[in-house]
């Protein structure tokens, strides 16, 4: 019994040491600069090194919560390792302390892999690891020691505990909830009680947790103060030099359950590799344009806002989107035409890639022809009439219509390099995704939802379809493999947006499968066979099964 309790106690000591290390490192990391804390840095390394199949599984299984799940997994692994080190500390404290320091070195190395990191950025992690090692050594020293229950004065003086061990004498008259020490000894199965420095251990644990909680809270407060949300709210976007035309009447069918034509910013999908949202101060933001250009440029945020900006309606789609998936949304974007900026810099012959980098180091390779072929590729600063939300790239991002986001939609963009695909591979291309990724024609059934129970009679079937740069020319729906029927299409402002559609169906009792397919303006109908998103986007017909009663 005592051995089991001792193991639990030493394992708890390891957990406490890990929490203290994080509580010390987090506020120091915030004070040191805008870099992510050690856990976020380790998580980012895991994201970068994880197999692509695992990443796709995480996105498919957890959606936009994949980052929180990943961070939770990192925390669990660290705590398990800390608990194991606590067990090691029971008999080999020096090795356990070395293990804690080794974990600190791993965290420091992870921090140093982040873009723009300097050696000083590793100091908070190392200090936190040192604090954790000290706590582990202190708590592991509060072990049991044998003392007689009825010590004589001579025994009491001679029974000195080992170094670092706290002994507490208990007399027969002492009681615990009405029990004498003799009762406690009998309950434990021993004639003489080994009195544990339990009180000191509990007090040390409580104190360590208090320090850790205070440190983590302080880190949260400091990160909150470094948030750029206040600066974002202070931005006043200029009127566009070329505003977008008003949306056509009827562009939104306004049916319950149907995705609205304009996706509210709060509902716009988010898929990226940033575990912690980059907090980019617009006052310090600059965009560098360089590489295979005649005249390298550097642009501040104020200079960007003073340039003639344009508005454009563009639907964005993530390559991770499965058939019928949620990673698609529409917004009205305000920004600087990207083609004009590149022509100002003077693109050299032979360049075929625009490599963009975000503030957190992520890279995106956009085919240069897709920026210069006349489409409304933007260096965007506004989204649906307001400055970009931080989660969607504030203060500036790229929006290139017709391409999946991994090759067109860099958030928190700070660097544009004109280069060649043969010279540099962007983040996802290096992981097997296609260099050129035009959005494929897809349609999604929003109404009715899968597995719904519907009343018989006239029923609405509705959804959205997209084929950016080509446009949607037709949508067809069929039930139970029957004949295809043409759905009614809502008007759209252009080919770069998705399109709503609706069809009325006389539902009869039973279980039914509803399928939909779209045809783009070139006359190509989306293929029926389902193909997964990797490496250049999903294809296939979307279907839902419903029960009519």
């Amino acid at each position: 019994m005592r051995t089991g309790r001792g193991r639990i106690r030493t394992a708890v000591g390891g957990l406490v040491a890990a929490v203290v290390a994080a509580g010390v490192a987090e506020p120091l990391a915030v004070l040191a600069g805008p870099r992510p804390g050690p856990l976020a840095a380790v998580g980012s390394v895991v994201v970068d090194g994880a197999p692509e199949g695992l990443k796709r599984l995480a996105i498919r299984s957890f959606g936009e919560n994949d980052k929180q799940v990943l961070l939770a997994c990192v925390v669990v692994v660290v705590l398990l390792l800390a608990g194991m080190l606590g067990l090691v500390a029971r008999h080999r404290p020096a090795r356990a302390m070395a293990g804690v320091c080794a974990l600190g070195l791993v965290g420091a190395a992870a921090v140093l892999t982040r873009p723009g990191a300097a050696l000083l950025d590793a100091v908070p992690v190392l200090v936190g690891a040192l604090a954790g090692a000290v706590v582990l050594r202190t708590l592991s020293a509060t072990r049991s020691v044998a003392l007689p229950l009825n010590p004589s004065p001579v025994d009491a003086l001679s029974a000195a505990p080992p170094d670092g061990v706290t002994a507490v004498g208990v007399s027969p008259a002492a009681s615990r909830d009405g029990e004498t020490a003799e009762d406690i000894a009998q309950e434990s199965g021993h004639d003489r009680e080994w009195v544990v420095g339990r009180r000191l251990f509990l007090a040390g644990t409580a104190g360590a947790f208090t320090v850790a909680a205070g440190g983590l809270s302080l880190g949260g407060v400091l990160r909150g103060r470094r948030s750029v949300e206040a600066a974002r709210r202070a931005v006043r976007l200029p009127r566009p030099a070329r505003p977008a035309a008003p949306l056509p009447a009827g562009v939104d069918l306004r049916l319950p359950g149907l995705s609205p034509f304009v996706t509210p910013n709060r509902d716009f999908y988010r898929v990226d590799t940033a575990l912690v949202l980059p907090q980019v101060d617009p006052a310090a933001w600059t965009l560098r344009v360089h590489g295979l250009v005649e005249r390298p440029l550097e642009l501040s945020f104020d200079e960007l806002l003073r340039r003639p900006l344009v508005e454009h309606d563009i639907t964005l789609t993530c390559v991770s989107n499965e058939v019928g998936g949620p990673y698609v949304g529409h917004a009205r974007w305000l920004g600087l035409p990207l083609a004009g900026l590149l022509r100002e810099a003077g693109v050299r012959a032979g360049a075929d890639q625009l490599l963009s980098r975000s503030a957190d180091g992520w890279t995106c390779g956009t085919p240069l022809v897709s920026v210069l072929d006349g489409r409304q590729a933007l260096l965007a600063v506004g989204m649906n009439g307001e400055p970009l939300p931080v989660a969607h790239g504030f203060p500036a991002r790229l929006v290139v219509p017709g391409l999946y986001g991994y090759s067109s939609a860099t958030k928190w963009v700070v660097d544009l390099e004109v280069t060649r695909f043969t010279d540099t591979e962007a983040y996802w291309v290096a992981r097997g995704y296609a260099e050129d990724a035009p959005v494929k024609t897809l349609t999604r059934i929003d109404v009715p939802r899968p597995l719904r129970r519907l009343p018989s009679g006239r029923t609405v079937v509705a959804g959205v379809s997209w084929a950016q740069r080509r446009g949607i020319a037709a949508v067809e729906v069929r039930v139970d493999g029957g004949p295809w029927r043409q759905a009614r299409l809502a008007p759209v402002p252009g080919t770069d947006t998705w399109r709503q559609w609706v069809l009325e169906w006389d539902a009869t009792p039973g279980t039914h499968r509803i399928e939909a397919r779209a045809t783009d303006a070139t006359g190509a109908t989306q293929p029926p066979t389902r193909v997964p998103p990797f490496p250049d986007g999903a294809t296939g017909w979307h279907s839902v099964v419903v029960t009519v009663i």
Side-chain angles (χ1 to χ4, degrees), residues 438-453:
V439 174
K440 297 181 178 179
T441 302
L442 277 181
T443 191
R444 185 181 72 200
I445 301 170
D446 284 351
V447 182
R449 297 294 184 188
L451 306 179
R452 286 296 174 88
R453 296 173 65 85

Side-chain angles (χ1 to χ4, degrees), residues 289-333:
V289 183
H290 63 109
L292 297 177
V293 296
E294 300 294 340
R295 297 169 294 278
L297 302 174
E298 193 165 287
L299 196 65
S300 72
F301 190 65
D302 285 341
E303 290 170 337
L304 173 57
L305 294 186
R306 286 197 295 268
R307 291 188 171 221
L309 306 182
V310 301
E311 277 184 332
H312 197 59
D313 287 297
I314 300 172
T315 295
L316 296 186
T317 313
C318 180
V319 73
S320 300
N321 207 33
E322 301 278 354
V323 173
Y327 304 135
V328 57
H330 177 83
R332 175 165 286 187
W333 307 91

Side-chain angles (χ1 to χ4, degrees), residues 441-443 465-466 472 474-476 516-520 524-526 541:
T441 302
L442 277 181
T443 191
S465 302
W466 55 91
I472 295 296
V475 173
E476 299 167 288
R517 67 182 185 184
T519 299
D520 67 28
T525 300
Q526 65 182 98
W541 296 343

Side-chain angles (χ1 to χ4, degrees), residues 249-465:
V251 70
D252 197 322
L253 297 175
R254 301 186 184 279
L255 297 174
L258 177 61
S259 300
F261 181 78
V262 176
T263 308
N265 290 354
R266 66 180 180 277
D267 298 330
F268 209 95
Y269 78 90
R270 179 196 164 203
V271 178
D272 52 53
T273 63
L275 296 182
V276 178
L277 290 177
Q279 304 293 315
V280 183
D281 185 352
W285 178 88
T286 58
L287 178 72
R288 182 181 174 218
V289 183
H290 63 109
L292 297 177
V293 296
E294 300 294 340
R295 297 169 294 278
L297 302 174
E298 193 165 287
L299 196 65
S300 72
F301 190 65
D302 285 341
E303 290 170 337
L304 173 57
L305 294 186
R306 286 197 295 268
R307 291 188 171 221
L309 306 182
V310 301
E311 277 184 332
H312 197 59
D313 287 297
I314 300 172
T315 295
L316 296 186
T317 313
C318 180
V319 73
S320 300
N321 207 33
E322 301 278 354
V323 173
Y327 304 135
V328 57
H330 177 83
R332 175 165 286 187
W333 307 91
L334 173 71
L336 181 70
L338 202 50
L341 185 63
L342 293 183
R343 291 192 177 100
E344 181 180 340
V347 176
R348 292 180 181 174
D352 61 5
Q353 177 182 213
L354 180 64
L355 185 75
S356 51
R357 291 180 177 85
S358 71
D360 64 349
W362 184 82
T363 56
C364 166
T366 306
L368 200 56
V369 65
S370 299
V371 177
L372 301 175
D373 64 0
R375 71 185 72 188
Q376 290 291 338
L378 299 176
L379 174 61
V381 295
M383 180 179 183
N384 290 332
E386 63 180 63
L388 293 169
V390 174
H392 293 289
F394 179 80
R397 65 172 295 167
L398 298 190
V399 177
V400 182
L403 301 176
Y404 288 113
Y406 81 92
S407 65
S408 68
T410 306
K411 303 172 187 174
W412 315 290
V413 64
V414 295
D415 189 276
L416 298 178
E417 180 183 1
V418 178
T419 181
R420 303 181 184 92
F421 281 108
T422 55
D423 295 339
T424 310
E425 286 187 324
Y427 184 92
W428 286 114
V429 173
R431 289 158 175 79
Y433 281 83
E435 287 181 353
D436 193 9
V439 174
K440 297 181 178 179
T441 302
L442 277 181
T443 191
R444 185 181 72 200
I445 301 170
D446 284 351
V447 182
R449 297 294 184 188
L451 306 179
R452 286 296 174 88
R453 296 173 65 85
L454 308 173
S456 60
R458 187 60 59 92
T459 299
V460 169
V461 180
V464 288
S465 302

Side-chain angles (χ1 to χ4, degrees), residues 104-180:
L105 290 174
V106 170
V111 169
L112 292 177
T113 64
R114 298 301 89 198
L119 287 176
L120 288 178
D121 295 320
V123 172
V125 186
L126 298 178
V127 172
L130 180 61
V134 170
V135 169
L136 179 60
R137 181 67 183 91
T138 301
L139 293 180
S140 65
T142 60
R143 297 172 300 188
S144 302
V145 60
L147 288 179
L149 283 175
N150 300 296
S152 67
V154 175
D155 291 334
L157 291 173
S158 61
D163 291 341
V165 179
T166 301
V168 181
V170 181
S171 69
S175 64
R176 183 187 66 189
D177 296 332
E179 293 182 297
T180 66

Side-chain angles (χ1 to χ4, degrees), residues 256-257 445-462 477 479-480 503-514 544-549:
I445 301 170
D446 284 351
V447 182
R449 297 294 184 188
L451 306 179
R452 286 296 174 88
R453 296 173 65 85
L454 308 173
S456 60
R458 187 60 59 92
T459 299
V460 169
V461 180
V477 179
V479 180
D480 298 331
L503 178 137
E504 291 187 339
W505 167 49
D506 290 323
T508 58
T511 300
H512 302 282
R513 176 181 295 275
I514 306 171
V544 298
V545 174
V546 297
T547 299
V548 179
I549 56 176

